[in-house]
Amino acid sequence: MGLDTTHGCWQGAYSAFMRWREKLCEVAGLPPLMLMECFFERGGYSDPFRAYAKDFDVLAESYYRCLPIRWEALKPDPLHILLNHSDCGGEIAALDCGPIADRLEQLLPLLPKGDSGGHIGDYRDKTQAFIDGLRLASSGGEAVEFH
């Protein structure tokens, strides 16, 4: 079981899709995805301040007041549509496919080459497949659907 999309954008594990989007954030110079609105969970497994908060609760509270980071606080970027998308349903609108593909093409050379492990394989190959699927959907005026 995993994420499947139309137009061949993605077929694979949900966890791999998440790691791929985290890598996209990294190379795009964005905050870590797990600190963003809809992803950050105070005290959750990916909370970077969880252990720190046990010993320095007052200081950690100052960090928590700034979290989660709201998407609106960032400079607008078509990539946000992909990053903030559910990994188990919904769609990317046909009008958004081209701009997201363009943005992913800019990031492509910044991604690591070779097998990354963890059900992703090569970040560049996975990203190119996503770009190709977005372009296919855009050319037909169709949305990319997530299942």
Side-chain angles (χ1 to χ4, degrees):
M1 179 131 177
L3 171 61
D4 289 312
T5 68
T6 58
H7 303 88
C9 287
W10 188 275
Q11 293 174 326
Y14 292 113
S15 59
F17 184 68
M18 186 63 180
R19 283 192 305 282
W20 177 66
R21 292 190 297 175
E22 288 173 330
K23 181 59 77 176
L24 292 175
C25 281
E26 178 186 321
V27 300
L30 296 170
L33 193 57
M34 295 312 291
L35 296 181
M36 298 302 299
E37 181 178 33
C38 298
F39 291 94
F40 179 74
E41 180 184 349
R42 182 177 177 158
Y45 79 95
S46 61
D47 177 353
F49 307 111
R50 184 175 61 184
Y52 181 73
K54 291 178 185 177
D55 296 326
F56 303 99
D57 58 335
V58 174
L59 195 51
E61 194 59 40
S62 66
Y63 291 115
Y64 286 130
R65 279 194 296 270
C66 301
L67 297 172
I69 300 168
R70 298 180 56 83
W71 290 98
E72 298 83 33
L74 303 176
K75 179 181 174 185
D77 187 327
L79 190 61
H80 297 174
I81 296 165
L82 172 61
L83 298 175
N84 192 26
H85 197 281
S86 170
D87 63 359
C88 60
E91 64 181 36
I92 294 176
L95 290 175
D96 294 323
C97 290
I100 295 170
D102 292 342
R103 184 66 171 111
L104 289 173
E105 283 182 340
Q106 293 172 350
L107 299 177
L108 201 57
L110 303 174
L111 292 166
K113 294 180 184 179
D115 189 352
S116 65
H119 304 290
I120 292 175
D122 185 290
Y123 278 105
R124 290 186 186 191
D125 289 347
K126 277 293 199 187
T127 304
Q128 187 61 60
F130 211 94
I131 292 167
D132 293 346
L134 288 169
R135 296 262 184 243
L136 178 62
S138 180
S139 71
E142 301 170 340
V144 171
E145 298 174 15
F146 286 59
H147 306 283

